[in-house]
Every structure is written in C-alpha cells, then in structure tokens.
Amino acid sequence: MAGVQPQGDLLKMTYRENWKVQHERLHVKHRGHEAMHAEMVLILIATLVVAQIVLVQWKQRHNRSYNLVTLLQMWVVPVYFTIKLYWWRFLSMWGMFSVITSFVVFRATRKPLSCRTPRMVYKWFLLIYKLSYAVGVIGYLAIMFTMFGFNVFFRIKAEDSMDVGVIMLFYGLYYGVMGRDFAEICSDYMASTIGYCNMGGMPSRSLTDDICAVCGQKILVDVDEEGILEDTFQLSCNHIFHEFCIRGWCIVGKKQTCPYCNEKVDLKRMMNNPWERTHILYGQLLDWLRYLVAWQPIIIGIVHGINFSLGLD
C-alpha cells in the first residue's frame, strides 16, 4: 500500500521523520469523515463556551478557591506531561523551583513574622519575575528570528532555533505565572500577619508615620541605628513605604490597593520608566496563560470524554 513504511524503516528514521509519517497516516485514516469532524468541532466550541461561563462565575463568586485550585493545577498538570514525555530538564527545574518556593512560602506563613521575611519573599519572587520576563522575551525573539529567516545566516536549522524559542517562551511564561500566584499567597499571609487590616479590609490598628506597612520596619533610620537605607515611595493616599516593598506588593503580588488603607493604587503612576510599563501587559499575558495551562487540558479532556460517549473517534 502506497505511503505505508515498513516497520524496519520507521526504526531507522529520526524522531521528526517518524512524526511526519505518523501525521500522514492520521490524515489518511480520517479522510472522508468530514461530517463527524464538523460535529466534533461544534462539541468543542460548545464546551469551551460553557466552561468559560462556569469559570468566570466561579472566579467572581469564590475567588479564593478558584485561585487555589488553578494554582494546584498549574503546579501538577505540566509535571504529568513531563513525566509522561520524559522531559527531565523541565522536571529538574520544576523541582528546584518547588523546593525554594516551598521554603519561602513556609517562612511567609509563620507567626510571629520575622522582620526579614517580607524582604526575602519579595526578593525571591521579584528575581523569578525578572528571570521569567527575560527568558520569555529571548524565546519570543528567537521565534521571530526564525520566522524571518535570520537563522540561515548563522547556519542554524529552523527546527532547532524554533524549538529553542518555543521552550524558552514556555519556561518564561510558566514560571512567571507560578511566581506571581505564589507571591500573592505570601503577600496575603504577610498582610494578615502584620495585622493593619482586618478580614473586612478595614484598618484594625494605627500605623505610625515611620513604619512601612509591608515589611513592618522603619522607613527612615538614623545614622547610628541598625537598618536598611532605601528609597521611599508615596502613594496617592499619602502613605509612604519602602520603594522595593511597595513595588513588590503591587507588581509581584498583584495587589492593586494600599497595604494600609486599601485605597486603589495607580500602577501607571508608580512607573516612571516607560519601559517598565510593559510589565503590566506581561502580567496580563501571564493571567491568560494561567487559563490556558491550568484549565485547557481539563476542558479538552471533557471534550474527548463527550466524543467517546457519542462514538465519535
């Protein structure tokens, strides 16, 4: 039969050549089933719409449980595929990230809270944020580099440069999402431990003018005092914080309010450097990827289950 390769030839092929042969066989197998494919597409679209409505309602009504379940899936789902496909490089990086992040979360949830913990938490997640941002940008540039054909000038195969770009883009986006979500959990715990606001969001005790509400340390220290000299930043509500603390609170921890009075924070006003404004767009991209990685596999699994129950294969 034409187009069918002997088993011995398949074993001699490279991975990409083998994949192309399997792809051709798949096309031959499904030829003449256009009506069934149209029905499967309709099922997919209907499931996506219903799932989107359910997820939006869940997020609006029970935001905390939605975020926790999403974070758990973001943490577990990629690991399942990496073990299944033997992607040990990703698994090793995931393991190191998980160990260090678990320690940071452990420190952030201790009571009483150490005075050095908030700074350590924000330093770690700010580092993850910057690294993921840089790796993601390099991956995107590598993809564009290949699409415009610049790889030819450096004698690099298009498949190799594209693979590097896609892998780096995924690494950057995935760890960017994980870092932001864990940072939000830590900032919630630290805010409740510091204790300036109650569960209803109202200040439960007074904040003196010389204390940063994020880290609980003095904003300005005298020459003979032990402390860290750092730039300060004043929000529109006139509360003053260490610049590093408030940037970590707003940008890394996804907080849009003052840590003390819960007044709305204008991120655009905080960012004097125009290049830093792209971080807001990057954060929105991470929020979109969270849905893609955490919920898309579940939705596709549901679609496969519906197709299987209806005899559509």
Coordinates of all heavy atoms in Angstrom, one line a residue, residues 142-208:
A142 N 13.7 34.7 19.6 CA 14.2 33.5 18.9 C 13.2 33.0 17.9 O 13.6 32.6 16.7 CB 14.6 32.4 19.8
I143 N 11.9 33.0 18.2 CA 10.9 32.6 17.3 C 10.8 33.6 16.1 O 10.7 33.2 15.0 CB 9.5 32.5 18.0 CG1 9.6 31.4 19.1 CG2 8.4 32.3 17.1 CD1 8.3 31.3 19.9
M144 N 10.8 34.9 16.4 CA 10.8 35.9 15.3 C 12.1 35.8 14.5 O 12.0 35.9 13.3 CB 10.7 37.3 16.0 CG 9.4 37.6 16.7 SD 8.0 37.6 15.6 CE 7.3 36.0 16.0
F145 N 13.2 35.5 15.1 CA 14.5 35.3 14.4 C 14.3 34.2 13.4 O 14.8 34.3 12.2 CB 15.5 35.0 15.5 CG 16.9 34.7 14.9 CD1 17.8 35.7 14.6 CD2 17.3 33.4 14.7 CE1 19.1 35.4 14.1 CE2 18.5 33.1 14.2 CZ 19.4 34.1 13.9
T146 N 13.7 33.1 13.8 CA 13.5 32.0 12.8 C 12.5 32.3 11.8 O 12.7 32.0 10.6 CB 13.1 30.8 13.6 OG1 14.0 30.5 14.7 CG2 13.0 29.5 12.7
M147 N 11.4 32.9 12.1 CA 10.3 33.2 11.2 C 10.7 34.1 10.1 O 10.3 34.0 8.9 CB 9.1 33.8 11.9 CG 8.4 32.8 12.8 SD 6.9 33.5 13.6 CE 5.8 33.7 12.2
F148 N 11.7 35.1 10.4 CA 12.2 36.0 9.4 C 13.4 35.4 8.6 O 14.0 36.1 7.8 CB 12.5 37.3 10.0 CG 11.3 38.2 10.3 CD1 10.9 38.3 11.6 CD2 10.6 38.8 9.3 CE1 9.7 39.0 11.9 CE2 9.5 39.6 9.6 CZ 9.0 39.7 10.9
G149 N 13.8 34.2 9.0 CA 14.8 33.5 8.2 C 16.3 33.9 8.6 O 17.2 33.6 7.9
F150 N 16.5 34.6 9.7 CA 17.8 35.0 10.1 C 18.7 33.9 10.5 O 19.9 34.0 10.5 CB 17.8 36.1 11.2 CG 17.2 37.4 10.8 CD1 16.0 37.9 11.4 CD2 17.8 38.2 9.8 CE1 15.4 39.1 11.0 CE2 17.2 39.4 9.4 CZ 16.1 39.8 10.0
N151 N 18.1 32.7 10.9 CA 18.8 31.6 11.3 C 19.7 31.0 10.1 O 20.8 30.4 10.4 CB 17.9 30.4 11.7 CG 16.9 30.0 10.6 OD1 16.0 30.8 10.3 ND2 17.0 28.8 10.1
V152 N 19.3 31.3 8.9 CA 20.1 30.9 7.7 C 21.5 31.5 7.7 O 22.5 30.9 7.4 CB 19.4 31.2 6.4 CG1 20.2 30.8 5.2 CG2 18.0 30.5 6.4
F153 N 21.6 32.8 8.1 CA 22.9 33.5 8.1 C 23.9 32.9 9.1 O 25.1 33.0 9.0 CB 22.7 35.0 8.4 CG 21.9 35.7 7.4 CD1 20.5 36.0 7.6 CD2 22.4 36.0 6.2 CE1 19.8 36.6 6.7 CE2 21.7 36.7 5.2 CZ 20.3 37.0 5.4
F154 N 23.3 32.2 10.2 CA 24.2 31.6 11.2 C 24.3 30.1 11.0 O 24.8 29.4 11.9 CB 23.7 32.0 12.6 CG 23.7 33.5 12.9 CD1 22.6 34.3 12.6 CD2 24.8 34.1 13.4 CE1 22.6 35.6 12.8 CE2 24.8 35.4 13.7 CZ 23.7 36.2 13.4
R155 N 23.7 29.6 9.9 CA 23.7 28.2 9.6 C 23.1 27.4 10.8 O 23.6 26.3 11.2 CB 25.2 27.7 9.4 CG 25.8 28.3 8.2 CD 27.2 27.8 7.9 NE 27.8 28.4 6.7 CZ 29.0 28.1 6.3 NH1 29.8 27.2 6.9 NH2 29.5 28.7 5.2
I156 N 22.0 27.8 11.3 CA 21.2 27.2 12.3 C 19.9 26.6 11.7 O 19.2 27.3 10.9 CB 20.9 28.1 13.5 CG1 22.1 28.7 14.1 CG2 20.0 27.4 14.5 CD1 21.8 29.8 15.1
K157 N 19.7 25.3 11.9 CA 18.4 24.7 11.4 C 17.2 25.4 11.9 O 17.2 25.8 13.1 CB 18.4 23.3 11.7 CG 19.5 22.4 11.0 CD 19.3 21.0 11.3 CE 20.3 20.1 10.6 NZ 20.2 18.7 10.9
A158 N 16.2 25.6 11.1 CA 15.0 26.3 11.5 C 14.3 25.5 12.6 O 13.8 26.2 13.6 CB 14.0 26.5 10.3
E159 N 14.3 24.2 12.6 CA 13.7 23.4 13.6 C 14.4 23.6 15.0 O 13.7 23.7 16.0 CB 13.7 21.9 13.2 CG 12.9 21.5 12.0 CD 13.7 21.7 10.7 OE1 14.8 22.3 10.8 OE2 13.2 21.4 9.7
D160 N 15.7 23.7 14.9 CA 16.5 23.9 16.2 C 16.2 25.2 16.8 O 15.9 25.3 18.0 CB 18.0 23.7 16.0 CG 18.3 22.2 15.5 OD1 17.5 21.3 15.8 OD2 19.4 22.1 14.9
S161 N 16.3 26.3 16.0 CA 16.1 27.6 16.6 C 14.7 27.8 17.0 O 14.4 28.5 18.0 CB 16.5 28.7 15.6 OG 15.7 28.5 14.4
M162 N 13.7 27.2 16.3 CA 12.3 27.4 16.7 C 12.0 26.6 18.0 O 11.3 27.1 18.9 CB 11.4 26.8 15.6 CG 9.9 27.0 15.9 SD 9.4 28.7 16.0 CE 9.4 29.3 14.3
D163 N 12.6 25.4 18.1 CA 12.5 24.6 19.4 C 13.0 25.4 20.6 O 12.4 25.5 21.6 CB 13.2 23.3 19.2 CG 12.4 22.3 18.4 OD1 11.3 22.6 18.1 OD2 13.0 21.3 18.0
V164 N 14.2 26.0 20.4 CA 14.8 26.8 21.5 C 13.9 28.0 21.9 O 13.6 28.2 23.0 CB 16.2 27.3 21.1 CG1 16.7 28.3 22.1 CG2 17.2 26.1 21.0
G165 N 13.3 28.7 20.9 CA 12.5 29.8 21.1 C 11.2 29.4 21.8 O 10.8 30.0 22.8
V166 N 10.6 28.3 21.4 CA 9.3 27.9 22.0 C 9.5 27.4 23.4 O 8.8 27.7 24.3 CB 8.7 26.7 21.2 CG1 7.5 26.1 21.9 CG2 8.2 27.3 19.8
I167 N 10.6 26.7 23.7 CA 10.9 26.2 25.0 C 11.2 27.3 26.0 O 10.7 27.3 27.1 CB 12.1 25.2 25.0 CG1 11.7 23.9 24.3 CG2 12.6 24.9 26.4 CD1 12.9 22.9 24.0
M168 N 12.0 28.3 25.5 CA 12.3 29.4 26.4 C 11.1 30.3 26.7 O 10.9 30.8 27.8 CB 13.4 30.3 25.8 CG 14.7 29.6 25.7 SD 16.1 30.7 25.2 CE 16.3 31.7 26.6
L169 N 10.2 30.4 25.7 CA 9.0 31.2 25.8 C 8.1 30.5 26.8 O 7.5 31.1 27.7 CB 8.3 31.4 24.5 CG 7.0 32.2 24.5 CD1 7.3 33.6 25.0 CD2 6.3 32.2 23.2
F170 N 8.0 29.2 26.7 CA 7.1 28.4 27.7 C 7.7 28.5 29.1 O 7.0 28.7 30.1 CB 7.0 27.0 27.3 CG 6.3 26.1 28.3 CD1 4.9 26.2 28.4 CD2 7.0 25.3 29.1 CE1 4.3 25.4 29.3 CE2 6.4 24.5 30.0 CZ 5.0 24.6 30.2
Y171 N 9.0 28.4 29.2 CA 9.6 28.4 30.6 C 9.4 29.8 31.2 O 9.0 29.9 32.4 CB 11.2 28.2 30.4 CG 11.6 26.8 30.5 CD1 10.9 25.8 29.8 CD2 12.7 26.4 31.2 CE1 11.2 24.5 29.8 CE2 13.1 25.0 31.2 CZ 12.4 24.1 30.5 OH 12.8 22.8 30.5
G172 N 9.6 30.9 30.4 CA 9.4 32.2 30.9 C 7.9 32.4 31.4 O 7.7 33.0 32.5
L173 N 7.0 32.1 30.5 CA 5.6 32.3 30.9 C 5.1 31.4 32.0 O 4.4 31.9 32.9 CB 4.7 32.0 29.6 CG 4.9 33.0 28.5 CD1 4.0 32.6 27.3 CD2 4.6 34.4 28.9
Y174 N 5.5 30.1 32.0 CA 5.1 29.2 33.1 C 5.6 29.6 34.4 O 4.8 29.8 35.4 CB 5.6 27.8 32.8 CG 5.2 26.8 33.8 CD1 3.9 26.3 34.0 CD2 6.2 26.4 34.7 CE1 3.6 25.4 35.0 CE2 5.9 25.5 35.8 CZ 4.6 25.0 35.9 OH 4.3 24.1 36.9
Y175 N 6.9 29.9 34.6 CA 7.4 30.3 35.9 C 7.0 31.7 36.2 O 7.0 32.0 37.4 CB 8.9 30.1 35.9 CG 9.4 28.6 35.9 CD1 9.9 28.0 34.8 CD2 9.1 27.9 37.1 CE1 10.3 26.7 34.8 CE2 9.5 26.5 37.1 CZ 10.0 25.9 36.0 OH 10.4 24.6 36.0
G176 N 6.7 32.5 35.3 CA 6.1 33.8 35.6 C 4.8 33.7 36.2 O 4.5 34.4 37.2
V177 N 3.9 32.8 35.7 CA 2.6 32.6 36.3 C 2.8 32.0 37.7 O 2.1 32.5 38.6 CB 1.8 31.6 35.4 CG1 0.5 31.2 36.1 CG2 1.4 32.3 34.1
M178 N 3.6 31.0 37.9 CA 3.7 30.3 39.2 C 4.3 31.3 40.2 O 3.8 31.4 41.3 CB 4.7 29.1 39.0 CG 4.1 28.0 38.1 SD 2.7 27.2 38.9 CE 3.5 26.3 40.2
G179 N 5.3 32.1 39.8 CA 5.8 33.1 40.7 C 4.8 34.1 41.2 O 4.8 34.4 42.4
R180 N 4.0 34.6 40.3 CA 3.0 35.6 40.6 C 2.0 35.0 41.6 O 1.5 35.7 42.5 CB 2.4 36.2 39.4 CG 3.2 37.3 38.7 CD 2.6 37.6 37.3 NE 1.3 38.2 37.5 CZ 1.0 39.5 37.6 NH1 2.0 40.4 37.6 NH2 -0.2 40.0 37.7
D181 N 1.5 33.8 41.3 CA 0.5 33.2 42.1 C 1.0 32.9 43.5 O 0.3 33.2 44.5 CB 0.0 32.0 41.5 CG -1.0 32.2 40.3 OD1 -1.2 33.4 40.1 OD2 -1.4 31.3 39.7
F182 N 2.2 32.4 43.6 CA 2.8 32.1 45.0 C 3.1 33.4 45.7 O 2.9 33.5 46.9 CB 4.0 31.3 44.9 CG 3.7 29.8 44.8 CD1 4.0 29.1 43.6 CD2 3.2 29.1 45.8 CE1 3.8 27.7 43.5 CE2 2.9 27.8 45.7 CZ 3.2 27.1 44.6
A183 N 3.5 34.4 45.0 CA 3.7 35.7 45.6 C 2.4 36.3 46.2 O 2.5 37.0 47.2 CB 4.3 36.7 44.5
E184 N 1.3 36.1 45.5 CA 0.1 36.6 46.0 C -0.3 35.9 47.3 O -0.8 36.5 48.2 CB -1.0 36.5 45.0 CG -2.4 37.1 45.4 CD -3.4 37.1 44.3 OE1 -3.3 36.2 43.4 OE2 -4.3 37.9 44.4
I185 N -0.1 34.6 47.3 CA -0.4 33.9 48.6 C 0.4 34.4 49.7 O -0.1 34.6 50.8 CB -0.2 32.4 48.3 CG1 -1.2 31.8 47.4 CG2 -0.2 31.6 49.7 CD1 -1.0 30.3 47.0
C186 N 1.7 34.6 49.5 CA 2.6 35.1 50.5 C 2.2 36.5 51.0 O 2.2 36.8 52.2 CB 4.1 35.1 50.0 SG 4.8 33.4 49.8
S187 N 1.9 37.3 50.0 CA 1.5 38.7 50.4 C 0.2 38.7 51.2 O 0.1 39.5 52.1 CB 1.4 39.6 49.1 OG 0.4 39.1 48.3
D188 N -0.7 37.8 50.9 CA -1.9 37.8 51.7 C -1.6 37.3 53.1 O -2.2 37.9 54.1 CB -2.9 36.8 51.1 CG -3.6 37.3 49.9 OD1 -3.7 38.6 49.8 OD2 -4.1 36.5 49.0
Y189 N -0.8 36.3 53.3 CA -0.5 35.9 54.6 C 0.3 36.9 55.4 O 0.0 37.1 56.6 CB 0.3 34.6 54.6 CG -0.5 33.3 54.5 CD1 -0.7 32.6 53.3 CD2 -1.0 32.8 55.7 CE1 -1.5 31.5 53.3 CE2 -1.8 31.7 55.7 CZ -2.0 31.0 54.5 OH -2.8 29.8 54.5
M190 N 1.2 37.6 54.8 CA 2.0 38.6 55.5 C 1.2 39.8 55.9 O 1.4 40.3 56.9 CB 3.2 39.0 54.6 CG 4.3 37.9 54.5 SD 5.8 38.5 53.7 CE 5.2 39.0 52.1
A191 N 0.3 40.2 55.0 CA -0.6 41.3 55.3 C -1.4 41.0 56.5 O -1.6 41.9 57.4 CB -1.5 41.6 54.1
S192 N -2.0 39.8 56.6 CA -2.8 39.4 57.7 C -2.0 39.3 59.0 O -2.4 39.6 60.1 CB -3.6 38.1 57.4 OG -2.6 37.0 57.3
T193 N -0.7 38.8 58.8 CA 0.2 38.7 60.0 C 0.6 40.0 60.5 O 0.7 40.2 61.8 CB 1.4 37.8 59.6 OG1 1.0 36.6 59.1 CG2 2.3 37.6 60.8
I194 N 1.0 40.9 59.6 CA 1.3 42.3 60.0 C 0.2 42.9 60.8 O 0.3 43.7 61.7 CB 1.8 43.1 58.8 CG1 3.1 42.6 58.3 CG2 2.0 44.6 59.2 CD1 3.6 43.2 57.0
G195 N -1.0 42.7 60.3 CA -2.2 43.0 61.0 C -2.7 44.4 61.0 O -3.4 44.8 62.0
Y196 N -2.5 45.2 60.0 CA -3.0 46.5 59.9 C -4.5 46.5 59.4 O -5.2 47.5 59.6 CB -2.2 47.4 59.0 CG -0.8 47.7 59.6 CD1 0.3 47.1 59.1 CD2 -0.7 48.6 60.6 CE1 1.6 47.3 59.6 CE2 0.6 48.8 61.2 CZ 1.7 48.2 60.7 OH 2.9 48.4 61.2
C197 N -4.9 45.5 58.8 CA -6.3 45.4 58.3 C -6.9 44.1 58.8 O -6.3 43.1 59.0 CB -6.3 45.4 56.8 SG -5.7 46.9 56.0
N198 N -8.2 44.2 59.1 CA -9.0 43.0 59.5 C -9.5 42.3 58.3 O -9.2 42.6 57.1 CB -10.1 43.4 60.4 CG -11.1 44.4 59.8 OD1 -11.2 44.4 58.6 ND2 -11.7 45.2 60.7
M199 N -10.3 41.2 58.5 CA -10.8 40.4 57.4 C -11.7 41.2 56.5 O -11.8 40.9 55.3 CB -11.5 39.2 57.9 CG -10.6 38.2 58.7 SD -9.3 37.5 57.7 CE -10.3 36.5 56.5
G200 N -12.3 42.2 57.0 CA -13.2 43.1 56.2 C -12.5 44.1 55.4 O -13.1 44.8 54.6
G201 N -11.2 44.2 55.6 CA -10.4 45.1 54.8 C -10.2 46.5 55.4 O -9.6 47.4 54.9
M202 N -10.7 46.7 56.7 CA -10.6 47.9 57.4 C -9.4 47.9 58.3 O -9.1 46.8 58.9 CB -11.9 48.2 58.2 CG -13.1 48.3 57.3 SD -13.0 49.7 56.1 CE -13.0 51.1 57.3
P203 N -8.7 49.0 58.5 CA -7.5 49.1 59.4 C -8.0 48.7 60.8 O -9.0 49.2 61.4 CB -7.1 50.5 59.3 CG -7.6 51.0 58.0 CD -8.9 50.3 57.8
S204 N -7.3 47.8 61.4 CA -7.6 47.4 62.8 C -6.7 48.0 63.8 O -7.0 48.0 65.0 CB -7.4 45.8 62.9 OG -6.1 45.4 62.5
R205 N -5.6 48.7 63.4 CA -4.8 49.4 64.4 C -4.0 50.5 63.6 O -4.0 50.5 62.4 CB -3.8 48.5 65.1 CG -2.8 47.7 64.2 CD -2.1 46.7 65.0 NE -1.2 45.9 64.2 CZ 0.1 46.1 64.1 NH1 0.6 47.2 64.7 NH2 0.9 45.3 63.3
S206 N -3.5 51.4 64.3 CA -2.9 52.6 63.7 C -1.5 52.3 63.2 O -0.8 51.5 63.8 CB -2.9 53.7 64.7 OG -2.2 54.9 64.2
L207 N -1.2 52.9 62.1 CA 0.2 52.8 61.5 C 0.9 54.1 61.7 O 0.5 55.2 61.3 CB 0.1 52.6 60.0 CG 1.4 52.6 59.2 CD1 2.2 51.4 59.6 CD2 1.1 52.5 57.7
T208 N 2.0 54.1 62.4 CA 2.8 55.3 62.6 C 3.5 55.7 61.4 O 3.7 54.9 60.5 CB 3.9 55.1 63.7 OG1 4.7 54.0 63.3 CG2 3.2 54.7 65.1

